[in-house]
Amino acid sequence: MACWASCMVSMFAGSILANFLLGEPVLTPFKNNYNILMATAVWYAIFYAPFDAAYTVCRFLPVRLVLAAAKEVLRCKKVHDGVSHAVRVYPNGYLIMIIIGAVKDLVVGTGTGSDFMRIFERLVRGTWTPNAMALLHPSFSTKACIAASVLFVLEKKTDFFTAPHALVYSGAVVIFVHFKLSAMLLGMTDPFQPFENLFCFFFLGGIWDAIARASECQGECRSQCCSRWTFHFLLLC
């Protein structure tokens, strides 16, 4: 029962969290019996299929690529639906639109909603891991969902994008699928990391920390040189 409950929480994490933040019933995602039956069938096939047949098939690389591409298409759809939902509830709340668009993603295991609900999902199984909070260790999926939310908010509420909506949406889907398949086939790491390091270096004190460390190293070198010269002078005397 704990295994099934934790899987259901993980599968519907995005909708649960988005409804909670918007003041809507958190059990709304469970009102669709078809979705519950489908999620239960997937859970049973993965965990209890004879000889782990379903798990073995899903681990086969061509199948994994197809599932990963479909997962990214679904991820982009959920982010867009989250932004659209927030636009209807808070027409002028840009930050709320970005937050709901990011957490609405409910792709199992790697979605932003699952990242934020991971503590509760593990608590259902009897494991308390407060360090698993997505804000402490944001994954690439979390960062990508936030970026997609910002893109859709700009496209919906500003004149920054003059391209048709279908083109913007298709471009977001292509980017999601591209980075996911690149990570699986080429081992690509987080593409946001270089930009984060550059931003932190110039705007979050990185440059001043580097200057301070350089000054400390220079002072230590001078003190070591003075000590060496003093030692040699005493030997000569």
Side-chain angles (χ1 to χ4, degrees):
M1 180 60 71
C3 178
W4 178 84
S6 64
C7 287
M8 294 301 108
V9 170
S10 180
M11 290 179 182
F12 298 99
S15 297
I16 294 173
L17 188 56
N19 290 348
F20 173 77
L21 294 176
L22 293 175
E24 300 178 355
V26 296
L27 296 180
T28 300
F30 299 102
K31 70 179 182 180
N32 192 321
N33 296 326
Y34 175 79
N35 290 342
I36 297 297
L37 291 176
M38 181 64 68
T40 303
V42 172
W43 163 80
Y44 184 84
I46 293 296
F47 284 94
Y48 298 106
F51 307 106
D52 288 335
Y55 177 77
T56 304
V57 171
C58 292
R59 292 290 298 176
F60 188 49
L61 182 59
V63 178
R64 286 178 58 198
L65 294 177
V66 174
L67 294 178
K71 179 177 65 176
E72 297 307 312
V73 174
L74 178 61
R75 187 195 307 278
C76 189
K77 177 182 181 301
K78 291 302 178 180
V79 173
H80 179 267
D81 291 346
V83 172
S84 301
H85 188 187
V87 167
R88 293 191 298 269
V89 180
Y90 297 98
N92 298 319
Y94 291 173
L95 180 60
I96 297 176
M97 299 175 194
I98 295 173
I99 293 174
I100 299 302
V103 304
K104 187 72 172 181
D105 170 31
L106 51 74
V107 182
V108 179
T110 59
T112 306
S114 297
D115 288 344
F116 281 97
M117 292 289 288
R118 187 174 299 162
I119 297 177
F120 179 74
E121 176 263 330
R122 292 180 178 177
L123 186 61
V124 172
R125 292 186 280 115
T127 304
W128 171 244
T129 55
N131 294 330
M133 185 63 182
L135 290 177
L136 300 177
H137 308 284
S139 62
F140 168 71
S141 300
T142 301
K143 301 173 187 177
C145 290
I146 295 174
S149 297
V150 173
L151 176 67
F152 290 134
V153 169
L154 293 176
E155 187 264 334
K156 286 179 175 295
K157 303 298 294 185
T158 67
D159 296 330
F160 188 78
F161 292 102
T162 58
H165 170 72
L167 182 61
V168 176
Y169 184 85
S170 300
V173 171
V174 170
I175 292 174
F176 270 96
V177 175
H178 166 73
F179 281 114
K180 182 61 177 182
L181 297 183
S182 297
M184 295 179 63
L185 297 175
L186 305 177
M188 179 183 295
T189 56
D190 188 355
F192 290 101
Q193 194 67 41
F195 301 100
E196 292 176 4
N197 294 337
L198 190 63
F199 180 83
C200 293
F201 182 77
F202 285 105
F203 299 104
L204 298 181
I207 186 171
W208 306 115
D209 293 340
I211 294 174
R213 286 194 298 268
S215 300
E216 293 177 359
C217 292
Q218 187 175 6
E220 291 178 358
C221 292
R222 286 180 180 177
S223 62
Q224 291 178 0
C225 290
C226 292
S227 300
R228 290 179 181 177
W229 282 107
T230 303
F231 179 73
H232 288 302
F233 178 76
L234 293 175
L235 288 179
L236 290 176
C237 293

